[in-house]
Amino acid sequence: MRKLIFMPFVCITGALLNIVFHTLTTGENLLPLYLDTIFTITVTLLCGPVWGSITGALTNIIGHTVNFWGWEGYLFTLCNIATALITWLFMRLFPNELIFSNQNTMVKSRQMDKVMNHIFVLMLLSFALCFAMSVLGGLIATLIQFITSSPADELYLKALLGSTMFHRLPVFAAEILSRIPINIIDRLISVFLGYGIAFALNKFVKFLLPKKQL
């Protein structure tokens, strides 16, 4: 019961922090990074896919409602939810690296192996999220253009990379490929920062609470 009361607060807080990070990295003279999934990853790692998905969905719903440019923007909620689900999938595939309750203390001589395993898995997760978000975001943007006959707001990525790279490609291919360079940087930052925050919070909670309460 206490968890059901507390977790909505965690999700809303995570969503608001996602929006803050996103706002700080968008706008004129700033890199067009999203950084709106950091705390979606953090909440998923600590609390599971349901709460992570809710955090991701709230990020898009709240953020887009505040900066409303059309109903189409809400479609990108699917990307935020997919971030939580893919992170959860990697938690199932790599429990020793991504599920904190499964992490055992290792002898000193194996600490470097443990660190390298974590880095490798986090990089795999970053690349997987980059691919998934580029494809899903590109398909959503293509759908928006098909429905409204106007470009989606994220087409500025084409201008950033040079329109000559894309003008001969089908719209959906251009939309997907134009997202990859920015997405790979964004996902690497988001995954490693999201994991780092989750790791710190997990240690902090264990320090505050007696072991029998965890």
Side-chain angles (χ1 to χ4, degrees), residues 23-202:
T23 302
L24 292 175
T25 55
T26 55
E28 295 182 3
N29 302 319
L30 295 173
L31 289 174
L33 297 175
Y34 306 105
L35 295 186
D36 59 351
T37 59
I38 293 172
F39 288 90
T40 301
I41 294 169
T42 297
V43 174
T44 303
L45 290 172
L46 291 175
C47 307
V50 174
W51 300 113
S53 297
I54 293 173
T55 302
L58 287 175
T59 298
N60 180 269
I61 292 169
I62 296 172
H64 185 62
T65 300
V66 172
N67 300 299
F68 187 79
W69 54 265
W71 64 268
E72 307 96 311
Y74 291 112
L75 294 176
F76 290 99
T77 301
L78 296 174
C79 294
N80 299 64
I81 295 173
T83 296
L85 297 179
I86 293 171
T87 300
W88 172 74
L89 174 61
F90 269 70
M91 291 170 66
R92 298 293 299 272
L93 294 174
F94 304 99
N96 291 329
E97 288 75 21
L98 296 179
I99 298 180
F100 295 109
S101 60
N102 286 1
Q103 293 177 7
N104 299 316
T105 303
M106 292 189 176
V107 295
K108 203 166 188 178
S109 61
R110 295 191 60 194
Q111 283 299 320
M112 184 55 67
D113 289 339
K114 180 181 178 182
V115 171
M116 293 306 297
N117 287 341
H118 279 70
I119 291 175
F120 178 72
V121 171
L122 291 173
M123 290 187 68
L124 280 180
L125 175 58
S126 301
F127 293 136
L129 287 174
C130 170
F131 177 77
M133 296 305 103
S134 297
V135 172
L136 188 56
L139 292 177
I140 291 172
T142 302
L143 177 63
I144 291 172
Q145 291 183 74
F146 177 77
I147 294 174
T148 65
S149 299
S150 61
D153 70 323
E154 294 181 310
L155 283 175
Y156 70 87
L157 291 174
K158 287 186 190 177
L160 177 71
L161 299 175
S163 60
T164 56
M165 295 174 60
F166 301 101
H167 74 280
R168 294 183 179 179
L169 294 174
V171 173
F172 75 91
E175 288 288 351
I176 292 171
L177 292 176
S178 67
R179 282 166 165 75
I180 291 176
I182 295 300
N183 264 328
I184 189 58
I185 299 172
D186 183 89
R187 303 307 153 179
L188 282 168
I189 295 173
S190 296
V191 166
F192 278 86
L193 191 53
Y195 177 85
I197 294 170
F199 180 83
L201 288 174
N202 181 65

